[in-house]
Amino acid sequence: MAPPDLPLFERDREQAVLSAVIGELRSGRPALVTVTGEPGLGQNELLRWAAGQARDRGVHVLAARATSAEHELRYGVVAQLLAPEDRDIATRLFVAPQRPGGLPGLNHLLTACHDRPTLLVVQDVQWLDPASLRWLEALARRLPRAPLALLTSTTGTAIDRPEWSVGTPLTGLASTIELALPPLTTSGVSAAVRTVCGVPGDTDFTDALAQATRGVPAVVHEVLLRFTRTGCAPRAEHVEHLRALTAEVVGDHAAQALSELRDPVAVDVLRALAVCGDLLDFPLVCTLAGLHPVPEARLRATLMASGLLTPRDGSPPGHDAVVRARILEEMPAADRADLYARAARLAQRVAVADQGIAELLLRARPVGAPWAVATLRRGFAAALRSGRRDRATAYLARALDEPLRSEERARVELQLASVQMVTAPTAAERRLHGLIRSTGTGTGLRSQAVDLCLLGGDTRAARLAQPTGPGTLGDPAPCDADVPAPRRGSGTGSPPGRRARAVAGDATAPRGANTSDPAHRDGSDEHPERTATADNDATVSERDELATVGDRHELATVSERHELIALLRVARFLRHEETCPGVPPAPALPEHSHSPAVAGVRAWEHAMAGVHLEASRRLARAAFAPDPGGRPPLVTPRLFACRALFLTDDGDEAEAHLATLLNEAHRQRAAIAIAHVLAVRADLHLRHGRPDAAARDLAAAEAELPPARLHPLFVPYWASLNLVADLQNGRPDRAREIAARPVPSLSEECATSAYLLFARGVLARSEDDPQRARAYFRACGRWLLHYGCVNPAVLPWRSLAAEAAHALGDDAEALRLTREEVRLAARWGTRSALGRAELGLAVVIRENRTEHFRAAVATLSESPARTDYTRAVLELASAESAEAERRTALALTSRRASTAGGVAPGPLPGFSQAPPAPAGVPPGRGAAPHPRPPAGWPALSPAEHETALLAASGLANREIATTLSVTTRAVELRLSGVYRKLRIRGREELRALRYGPEGG
């Protein structure tokens, strides 16, 4: 109900109509006025105002109010109307027996009206008792013969609709008016704020109040009263507090209306509507509420009259969320859960959308039907598609409440944990640890659980999966007992030991190879023919064994053991825990295994050690082959296989595999896997000289896995990628900000710390700070060597540390580091690693610099390292310019343009924000120092930097375009940007500045 002091905002039209009715009533003209509207719009307040106006103008007023409590009280409203005229009327009406067709007191009232005009005011006629309703209808038919007006209010739909609406013939010549009250407009709400609070409200505050209250004056008034009691001003900063108060008031109104609803059938239907009114139409809701004799139309009218149900845009009636919640709060918890379960069954029978049924099941007791789990899983997928991860996890958690088979339960647990790795990583780890410890987990699920834990940064899970007894993870090659004997009569003549080795054998590793040491593992490079024969023999033996072995469970056990060993090796790489007391060393990879996971990890270990290039390439490709036993593929080993392909100069192949991994992760809705695949692909883009694509992938990865949710073990790697991408995209300020961010303490214990140290060194190098750069590169090298990484293709820290030492005048250290990198790069064997090493040597060596640059250009011309090749050409052009031999550089440039286009080097390796000076006499040893670069030089982007150096070296636009593999128009645009930023007028001034930039 509206408070009695509620101001009648925006009711001027209605007040004018009622004033006119009262004036005509004094002239003897009868009228019948009905004021309608939703509860709280001020109908009764308007009737009280009209009654006061009538009394002031000498009109006799009789008033009554119908209530739900007196709906069954005969003549309850009539007794209230006639009591001022006859004090004994109530006794006669309530006690005396009802006579057919009797209308007590009506004739007496009509007779009295001839002497004085009378206004009858009846509030809330939707609650009229049947006898009073007939009495008032009879009065309406007699209105034309008496100076009497009937003024009533209703909430829109009375239980039994009075027959005095507009146009009815019952009223004859009497004026019949219906006034429908609208909600307050924004201006009306603003006026209410000014009146109640005493000061005007902010626009945001007023708009929020109008939206939250829907302009209902009673709610607006009460909310403002409570708001002013808090002492707050109507300002935008208090909007959230205002919304909370509005929810309170709406809930209180709903509770009051619910307490006044006396009909138990209406209450049951109301509760059913609160549960599924948005999913089922009204007849089905009534069916859900149970069998009852009350007609549907009467139930609808009763609920509309209560104000707890309102029509919306012609659709079935619905509830506000607050009203719905308050209705359901009144129910016992068990009854509420049962009602939701019955609603879910009914919705499933009538084919409601999956997410609607899933919402019902969330609050229902277990229904024990197979369709419930299937529906919840489909709802989970739909919620993930719409980005509602919290809802998706709620659906799967609810599915676990249903009775499930052990393997199906484990799969649901794994699927739930894959999402919780982003939303609730601690809960996901607990769930996955339970799966890992479980002995009844289905085929491949334990390995998948460990794989998922590693993606989340949990390296302990790999040790939790370590079995005890004869078949421990420490056994590099399972004994014959690991594989059961073949069935009798199988037709195989292979001895048991050979069959065991064939099933667990590695088709890519020769027999007898020592794989415990990555530096001496897999001698297939030296004996390719013997390796091919071993491959064929192992494959045939494996097929024969799979066809004859009876106990597939034992085979699955062997495969799972090998996968877990591979994952444990990954955990060891991510974080060294073997120095901790009581932690055993990680076992070596199995000597013979057909597991793709083992192949992927072994490929990475070869690449880290910088040995067996062809074996690493072949193993990386084998990581993407289907598992012979049909086991599901793991993500982490394949990611490491892709990274190995980066280092073997097979970036295009790695990119194709990453696209496959990304599509697979999207199909499985695994956000944690999507994020890691995108990060590795960003690494690939940086190696290929595509910093803009890298930045897009990193942004997409952070959208899937926010940085706040990223495990500390991966923070350095992601930070290094972002830092280098920003540097290459010409945003040094953002790169400095990333470099300055503190990292968690755990981040300093993992292998990926080397990437961040290297990236910080690259940043210091671009800022012309060789002292700091050398410190970072040395620290990076120490960390990589600590984890067994000697391959310069991973991070060429030696050559960059050598360039920094050369700039500081330490030629001995510079030569030692560069020659060591050349030796290691030659052992690894890729053209890009060797070319970078030769370029680093050419920069720091003093003798035959030009020849060394030529060797670097020749090597890099056959590699995909486009950015490093461009830098080598620039350095060679600079060196030959002094010797007037630029023709050689141009010839090599033309040769490069005629070869197949490749892509750039490593994420960090190929980056060259500010190339070092061409080798010469080191500073401090009698050499004239190079002039500082011009003021605008740091503002150039990497592309503009390369173009400017080539132009300063004397190359024409067409030659520059051929060297950089771009169009001539692109070169012109870049040079225009260079001229603008350096504030020069053309190529001649750029040539004059040539030695400054190259010396920077």
Side-chain angles (χ1 to χ4, degrees), residues 7 139 151 220 266 331 445 528 592 622 754 831 838 942:
L139 173 66
L151 176 59
V220 170
M331 296 182 66
L445 291 182
H592 303 291
R831 307 294 290 177
E838 290 174 343

Side-chain angles (χ1 to χ4, degrees), residues 243-264:
R243 291 196 177 104
L245 286 177
T246 304
E248 266 183 38
V249 172
V250 172
D252 291 347
H253 283 207
Q256 178 64 27
L258 188 61
S259 66
E260 294 176 354
L261 194 59
R262 306 293 180 179
D263 188 349

Side-chain angles (χ1 to χ4, degrees), residues 186 190 254 273 315 317 323 359 369 393 494 546 553 620 712 733 748 753 781 784 833 970 983 986 996:
T186 304
S190 179
L273 277 168
S315 61
V323 175
E359 284 294 319
T393 56
S494 300
L546 290 175
H553 177 71
D733 292 340
E748 300 174 357
S753 295
L784 288 175
R983 298 183 179 179

Side-chain angles (χ1 to χ4, degrees), residues 496-645:
R498 179 178 177 182
R499 285 196 300 273
R501 287 192 299 272
V503 173
D506 184 0
T508 58
R511 292 188 176 93
N514 178 16
T515 58
S516 60
D517 182 4
H520 302 285
R521 188 178 299 157
D522 199 333
S524 55
D525 287 350
E526 291 79 11
H527 305 284
E529 297 178 359
R530 187 177 66 184
T531 301
T533 304
D535 290 351
N536 294 333
D537 290 345
T539 304
V540 172
S541 298
E542 180 193 15
R543 287 199 298 266
D544 178 66
E545 189 66 24
L546 290 175
T548 57
V549 169
D551 193 345
R552 300 300 179 92
H553 177 71
E554 290 296 331
L555 290 176
T557 302
V558 173
S559 299
E560 183 179 80
R561 184 180 298 122
H562 290 180
E563 286 179 345
L564 294 177
I565 292 174
L567 294 173
L568 186 56
R569 298 289 295 181
V570 172
R572 176 185 177 273
F573 168 73
L574 290 177
R575 184 184 181 192
H576 265 317
E577 295 179 319
E578 296 169 358
T579 56
C580 301
V583 178
L589 289 169
E591 184 176 348
H592 303 291
S593 177
H594 276 287
S595 170
V598 172
V601 176
R602 181 180 287 166
W604 174 248
E605 291 191 351
H606 281 335
M608 290 279 287
V611 294
H612 307 316
L613 173 66
E614 290 303 323
S616 178
R617 179 180 287 125
R618 186 176 62 255
L619 287 165
R621 291 167 178 167
F624 294 92
D627 186 89
R631 297 173 64 80
L634 304 179
V635 176
T636 306
R638 288 184 290 169
L639 282 179
F640 276 88
C642 287
R643 295 172 71 178
L645 289 173

Side-chain angles (χ1 to χ4, degrees), residues 350-433:
V350 298
V352 171
D354 287 333
Q355 277 197 281
I357 304 175
E359 284 294 319
L360 296 175
L361 289 171
L362 277 183
R363 299 167 179 82
R365 57 169 174 75
V367 298
W371 60 262
V373 176
T375 300
L376 287 166
R377 295 185 76 173
R378 289 195 298 268
F380 160 82
L384 280 186
R385 282 195 299 271
S386 59
R388 302 166 63 207
R389 286 178 180 158
D390 292 340
R391 213 58 177 171
T393 56
Y395 290 151
L396 279 193
R398 172 60 184 83
L400 293 173
D401 293 337
E402 296 290 334
L404 296 170
R405 290 179 288 105
S406 59
E407 184 171 348
E408 186 180 8
R409 179 174 295 277
R411 292 186 184 281
V412 174
E413 292 263 13
L414 185 68
Q415 195 174 23
L416 175 57
S418 70
V419 181
Q420 286 184 325
M421 271 296 180
V422 176
T423 60
T426 304
E429 288 180 9
R430 286 198 301 267
R431 198 177 298 279
L432 292 172
H433 288 182

Side-chain angles (χ1 to χ4, degrees), residues 193-264:
V193 171
R194 185 166 51 252
T195 301
V196 178
C197 298
V199 292
D202 285 354
T203 302
D204 292 342
F205 183 91
T206 302
D207 292 343
L209 179 62
Q211 182 180 9
T213 62
R214 295 189 303 158
V216 177
V219 180
V220 170
H221 188 253
E222 189 167 346
V223 168
L224 289 175
L225 287 177
R226 296 190 187 186
F227 182 80
T228 53
R229 292 192 196 108
T230 64
C232 298
R235 298 289 179 263
E237 57 266 23
H238 299 130
V239 166
E240 291 303 321
H241 178 50
L242 176 74
R243 291 196 177 104
L245 286 177
T246 304
E248 266 183 38
V249 172
V250 172
D252 291 347
H253 283 207
Q256 178 64 27
L258 188 61
S259 66
E260 294 176 354
L261 194 59
R262 306 293 180 179
D263 188 349

